Amino acid sequence: QVQLVESGGGLVQPGGSLRLSCAAFGSIFRFYAMGWYRQAPGKQRELVATTTSGGSTNYADSVKGRFTISKDNAKNTVYLEMNSLKPEDTAVYYCSAARTGWGERDMDYWGKGTLVTVSS
């Protein structure tokens, strides 16, 4: 019923920038929250950033000042602008959406992920 599709992943050099997009398709016009999580090889999935319908944002400490989450409500699309990328940012990035709440356990839908590789 609801599908999230990420795009924009790829290979980038340290210090470079990348912009990820996530488009939501389905019957839900507006979510309470949408966000980005990532999972590096051998590690657990972790928060990157979330944003609510009211405009509140939440960032992991590791990305504050470097990443920016934004959205286009008319398109049910969320973006993640990543700057000053580091090798430790390498991971599969997953888009998520929630009908209620904004925490990880509140997320009702998940995309299939897009791979971001930061390497020289």
Side-chain angles (χ1 to χ4, degrees), residues 19-43:
R19 188 187 192 218
L20 305 182
S21 299
C22 172
F25 302 90
S27 61
I28 299 178
F29 179 68
R30 294 180 66 179
F31 298 104
Y32 177 77
M34 294 186 72
W36 293 92
Y37 289 76
R38 67 186 182 187
Q39 187 168 26
K43 299 180 66 177

Side-chain angles (χ1 to χ4, degrees), residues 53-117:
S53 60
S56 298
T57 57
N58 184 44
Y59 294 92
D61 288 340
S62 60
V63 306
K64 284 183 178 179
R66 299 189 299 121
F67 292 9
T68 301
I69 188 169
S70 61
K71 60 183 178 180
D72 184 337
N73 288 329
K75 297 180 179 180
N76 271 346
T77 300
V78 65
Y79 307 93
L80 183 69
E81 296 181 1
M82 304 183 292
N83 300 310
S84 301
L85 284 162
K86 305 174 181 179
E88 49 263 45
D89 294 318
T90 296
V92 175
Y93 284 70
Y94 296 93
C95 178
S96 63
R99 298 173 62 244
T100 60
W102 58 269
E104 183 174 3
R105 64 182 179 181
D106 295 311
M107 297 298 170
D108 299 302
Y109 310 101
W110 294 87
K112 294 182 179 180
T114 185
L115 177 63
V116 173
T117 302

